């Protein structure tokens, strides 16, 4: 993959912050692997909840952008979640497909923005404040499950505390780390990404894309996986190249 080769080359040529970047990538890989293990969701519990929030809020926000209605968001203690929304009464097949794709694709796009905001302290701190407020706002407006109403405000307050109290280094590292977590949250449940059905929840996101865009779910799963990695890799290259050159 071109992005993987570019990132590898950049890591080898970067002399100033390559060690920090390597640790960040190592943490991301470790997180992605742990999520595939039976107890991984509980070992990484706060990040599991955050990953679910990124996924479901992306569905809801895309439904609003396309003229629908985001009714509620539910987060459960087992780390799963669901966004309940409506779509316009008259729609083309692309609309529900885009809403379905937003779940796995929204997080890496948002994560890339967080990573690139680390290029300066002011933008990093502002991004943390925005994320904290977004968690609190979503809890107030859309969250309707008791578990979500407890955990999401706590996460939001924690992020705001970091943005207001901690040192510059901590804030910059945190925004990078949370950005990486958002990017790799696409891989939270690889079996879901490459499945047509989602158990009791019905058709998976890639299954919805197959339904409305015809190509098989595994094609969309693979495309999303590759695109998510490419977005993350490019955001890292841009961020660290800007700092070091």
């Amino acid at each position: 993959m071109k992005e993987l080769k570019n990132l590898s080359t950049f890591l080898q040529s970067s002399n100033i912050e390559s060690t920090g970047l390597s640790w960040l990538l190592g943490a991301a890989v470790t997180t992605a692997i742990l999520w595939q293990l039976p107890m991984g969701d509980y070992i990484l519990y706060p990040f599991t909840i955050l990953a679910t929030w990124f996924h479901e809020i992306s569905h809801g926000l895309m439904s609003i952008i396309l003229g629908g209605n985001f009714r509620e968001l539910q987060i459960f203690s087992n780390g799963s979640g669901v966004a309940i929304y409506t779509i316009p009464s008259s729609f083309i097949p692309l609309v529900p497909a885009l809403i379905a794709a937003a779940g796995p694709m929204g997080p890496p796009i948002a994560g890339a923005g967080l990573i690139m905001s680390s290029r300066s302290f002011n933008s990093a701190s502002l991004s943390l404040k925005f994320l904290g407020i977004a968690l609190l706002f979503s809890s107030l407006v859309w969250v309707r499950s008791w578990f979500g109403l407890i955990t999401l405000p706590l996460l939001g307050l924690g992020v705001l505390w970091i943005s207001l109290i901690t040192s510059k280094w901590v804030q910059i590292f945190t925004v990078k780390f949370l950005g990486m977590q958002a990017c790799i949250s696409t891989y939270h449940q690889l079996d879901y990404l490459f499945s047509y059905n989602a158990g009791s929840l019905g058709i998976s996101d890639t299954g919805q894309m197959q339904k409305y865009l015809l190509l098989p779910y595994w094609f969309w799963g693979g495309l999303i996986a590759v695109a998510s990695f490419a977005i993350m890799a490019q955001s890292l290259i841009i961020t660290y190249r800007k700092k070091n050159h």
Side-chain angles (χ1 to χ4, degrees):
M1 185 192 298
K2 181 180 178 181
E3 294 297 339
L4 180 59
K5 182 178 179 181
N6 289 345
L7 185 58
S8 176
T9 301
F10 181 71
L11 273 171
Q12 294 172 11
S13 62
S14 176
N15 293 320
I16 297 180
E17 294 191 11
S18 59
T19 301
L21 177 55
S22 298
W23 275 103
L24 193 64
L25 288 171
V29 171
T30 301
T31 300
I33 292 174
L34 284 173
W35 266 335
Q36 308 314 312
L37 301 178
M39 292 299 294
D41 280 352
Y42 296 99
I43 296 172
L44 300 167
Y45 200 60
F47 303 115
T48 298
I49 300 302
L50 190 61
T52 301
W53 178 81
F54 272 120
H55 183 107
E56 302 302 341
I57 201 73
S58 296
H59 281 312
L61 293 179
M62 181 58 75
S63 71
I64 294 175
I65 291 171
L66 295 178
N69 181 29
F70 185 13
R71 291 185 173 178
E72 63 181 79
L73 187 157
Q74 297 183 16
I75 303 289
F76 306 110
S77 59
N78 64 357
S80 65
V82 61
I84 300 175
Y85 55 85
T86 59
I87 56 179
S89 56
S90 58
F91 65 89
I92 59 175
L94 187 60
V95 170
L98 285 174
I99 296 174
M105 283 305 303
I109 293 172
L114 289 173
I115 291 169
M116 290 188 289
S117 76
S118 70
R119 287 176 291 179
S120 76
F121 168 70
N122 287 337
S123 60
S125 185
L126 183 63
S127 294
L128 285 175
K129 291 180 176 66
F130 179 82
L131 177 60
I133 291 171
L135 285 161
L136 294 174
F137 180 81
S138 67
S139 300
L140 180 66
V141 177
W142 294 302
V143 177
R144 295 295 180 268
S145 60
W146 68 265
F147 182 79
L149 286 170
I150 294 173
T151 55
L152 293 179
L154 288 176
L155 285 172
L157 290 173
V159 173
L160 283 176
W161 180 84
I162 291 172
S163 72
L164 295 170
I165 302 298
T166 61
S167 67
K168 290 184 178 182
W169 181 89
V170 171
Q171 292 188 47
I172 290 173
F173 176 81
T174 299
V175 80
K176 289 177 186 177
F177 184 78
L178 292 179
M180 290 291 286
Q181 292 297 313
C183 285
I184 64 172
S185 67
T186 299
Y187 308 99
H188 179 205
Q189 292 179 312
L190 278 176
D191 55 341
Y192 174 81
L193 197 63
F194 289 95
S195 299
Y196 181 82
N197 292 309
S200 61
L201 297 177
I203 302 177
S204 68
D205 293 332
T206 51
Q208 290 284 355
M209 296 175 74
Q210 173 180 313
K211 179 180 178 181
Y212 292 102
L213 300 179
L214 302 181
L215 291 173
Y217 67 88
W218 52 262
F219 170 84
W220 297 114
L223 184 62
I224 288 169
V226 171
S228 297
F229 180 85
I231 290 170
M232 179 192 71
Q234 191 60 35
S235 70
L236 289 169
I237 292 170
I238 291 172
T239 299
Y240 280 85
R241 180 173 290 157
K242 289 288 186 180
K243 285 186 173 185
N244 298 330
H245 296 279

